Amino acid sequence: MRQRVLAGAAALVVVVGLIALAVVGSGGDGPRPLPIGAAGAAPEGERAAMSDMALMAPTEYRVVGELPELDGEERAWSVGREADEAGIASLARALGLDGDVEVAEHGWRVVDGDAALEVSRQPGLPWWYGQHAGTLEPDTPVSSLPMVDPDDGGARDEPAHGEVVDCPMPECPPGTACIQACPDDGSAVRETRVEPLPEPERPDGLPSRAEAEAVGREVMTGAGLDLEPADLRTEDLFSSWLVSARPEVGGLPTVGMDWGVTVGVDGAVEHANGWLADPVEGDSYPLIGTTAAIERLREGQGGDLMARPEPAIHCVDCPEPEPVVVTITGARVGLQLVHAYDVDEAWLVPTYLLATDGGEEGVVNELWVLALGDEHIAQPPVPELPEGCELIGGDAVVCDDDGGGVSGRPGQSEPGSPGEPQSVEPAEPQPELVEPDADAG
């Protein structure tokens, strides 16, 4: 019996999802469950198969000292994607742009010469500013260090590192293709040279750290960011400075809504990014406490961008890898940006920010674990599937079908229209395999 995947199952998800969201938002006792649940985990068999693909070192979380329990209540905040063109124009002026606000395909744009501001019609209204990237002409030469030719001492346009083999290009008869092959019989002239790379130099006119931070502050405050409670950092990128800020909302630090300004030569703003939406107060939720948050980590829930171990190399009969030990040294409550499965909104959700050791000097690595109980997190609705179909991995619908097979996931758009089931010719029947008769002569 064959299986096929319904490419049109996304429509079922949308219809059932709208019904579920209406129920979620219909009121009742307690705060509204937030529609931020994951799309679904792979079944046990699938997870086991995936774990066999690569041997990954387990992670062991250890707590140093005693963490505060932090089991009070905190508020969630919603962020939408509806922008005010007057606000975009004000942001453009703060960035020094003199242009009109244009409606683009996925948001809004302001262009002034070689500089442009883009505001995306996504939850939170993320925006980017920068110069248009230049392009190389097809025949633009790319510089390389010269190499001394062992025959005449002249310069050759070849890399200046490693071993040089000097062997002639053979004569190539007309109408044929030849390659230059250097024999390893001692006839070729070999020379090994290693020349030190020149020390890099900072560009002239690069401002000091303090001057770059002042430029970044001016841009952010001009764009409407309140820097008083924000966590402001200035990072040395050698040829420029990155001034970044993690703003606060409701007195809590945020994760996922950072602002940044790259300051280059003569204090010019090379790039900038931020968020234009104003968070709106939502319900308050009881927190699970840091003890339960650590257990979530140990069960494989939670996330971080900096301290996650890399998987081991694929191999056969590998020895069991040693666990990666992550030491947790502190905890605080913040707000993490999480997109809802309703694409029109995202939420700043109460989250534990768990500090870990092993970071660079002056930089604290953090693990992020949602601080809400499961009863306050609404999962995506499960579609009503036709008989003989099942949901695999949270986003693929597989159906039994004797007529042929098609593979894919809901919402695939090629070939044909988005969200529509595709017509597939039945597969050619395969000859039936017959086991040989052991008693046959």
Side-chain angles (χ1 to χ4, degrees):
M1 183 171 289
R2 301 182 183 277
Q3 288 184 327
R4 63 186 174 87
V5 180
L6 293 184
L12 293 173
V13 177
V14 172
V15 172
V16 178
L18 293 175
I19 298 173
L21 285 177
V23 173
V24 167
S26 61
D29 297 334
R32 167 197 176 188
L34 297 179
I36 58 172
E44 291 296 333
E46 271 190 56
R47 287 201 296 269
M50 289 187 292
S51 66
D52 290 340
M53 294 174 60
L55 189 63
M56 299 185 66
T59 304
E60 180 181 331
Y61 297 98
R62 299 177 183 174
V63 178
V64 174
E66 187 174 348
L67 299 180
E69 190 58 23
L70 303 176
D71 55 356
E73 283 194 357
E74 291 294 348
R75 185 180 303 279
W77 301 71
S78 66
V79 288
R81 59 175 191 166
E82 293 303 321
D84 177 9
E85 291 193 10
I88 297 175
S90 177
L91 172 61
R93 289 193 297 271
L95 293 168
L97 296 177
D98 183 14
D100 296 329
V101 178
E102 306 170 5
V103 178
E105 181 179 1
H106 300 293
W108 301 265
R109 176 185 301 160
V110 178
V111 179
D112 182 7
D114 290 335
L117 166 67
E118 302 274 353
V119 180
S120 175
R121 197 189 302 271
Q122 294 296 322
L125 298 174
W127 60 264
W128 300 267
Y129 162 84
Q131 305 290 325
H132 293 305
T135 58
L136 289 176
E137 296 296 330
D139 296 327
T140 302
V142 179
S143 64
S144 60
L145 295 177
M147 171 63 70
V148 175
D149 191 309
D151 289 336
D152 56 15
R156 274 197 339 207
D157 190 18
E158 294 181 4
H161 288 73
E163 185 176 61
V164 180
V165 178
D166 183 59
C167 59
M169 178 70 184
E171 293 186 6
C172 198
T176 62
C178 303
I179 62 171
Q180 185 178 14
C182 297
D184 193 14
D185 57 4
S187 62
V189 180
R190 298 175 180 272
E191 178 187 6
T192 301
R193 293 187 55 191
V194 177
E195 294 184 357
L197 292 173
E199 288 293 327
E201 297 182 1
R202 291 183 184 272
D204 294 335
L206 188 68
S208 66
R209 177 187 293 269
E211 291 169 338
E213 183 174 312
V215 173
R217 283 180 173 273
E218 182 179 0
V219 171
M220 292 181 190
T221 54
L225 179 63
D226 182 8
L227 285 178
E228 287 304 318
D231 178 13
L232 189 71
R233 300 178 183 178
T234 303
E235 182 179 354
D236 187 355
L237 304 182
F238 192 79
S239 59
S240 60
W241 298 92
L242 174 61
V243 184
S244 61
R246 178 178 290 183
E248 288 189 358
V249 172
L252 296 178
T254 58
V255 171
M257 294 191 73
D258 291 14
W259 289 50
V261 178
T262 303
V263 182
V265 173
D266 297 331
V269 176
E270 298 178 347
H271 308 282
N273 65 277
W275 302 79
L276 199 57
D278 292 324
V280 177
E281 286 189 359
D283 293 332
S284 292
Y285 297 84
L287 308 184
I288 62 174
T290 53
T291 300
I294 299 298
E295 287 305 310
R296 275 188 172 177
L297 269 182
R298 290 169 177 161
E299 293 171 0
Q301 304 179 49
D304 71 280
L305 295 181
M306 304 175 68
R308 179 169 297 166
E310 294 292 332
I313 299 175
H314 293 244
C315 61
V316 178
D317 297 330
C318 296
E320 189 70 22
E322 294 294 325
V324 176
V325 177
V326 176
T327 303
I328 298 173
T329 59
R332 57 178 178 159
V333 179
L335 296 170
Q336 180 180 350
L337 182 67
V338 182
H339 286 263
Y341 50 75
D342 172 9
V343 297
D344 290 332
E345 64 179 358
W347 289 85
L348 286 167
V349 184
T351 297
Y352 291 117
L353 310 182
L354 305 176
T356 68
D357 63 1
E360 300 177 7
E361 184 177 356
V363 178
V364 178
N365 288 349
E366 288 182 328
L367 299 166
W368 310 335
V369 185
L370 288 183
L372 303 189
D374 292 339
E375 67 275 16
H376 299 303
I377 300 176
Q379 301 297 324
V382 178
E384 296 180 4
L385 303 178
E387 185 177 355
C389 299
E390 61 178 330
L391 192 65
I392 301 295
D395 62 351
V397 180
V398 178
C399 298
D400 293 330
D401 186 356
D402 291 326
V406 59
S407 296
R409 292 190 182 275
Q412 287 184 324
S413 58
E414 293 183 1
S417 302
E420 295 181 359
Q422 307 304 323
S423 175
V424 177
E425 293 296 329
E428 290 293 333
Q430 300 296 319
E432 183 179 359
L433 296 178
V434 180
E435 294 291 336
D437 188 349
D439 297 331

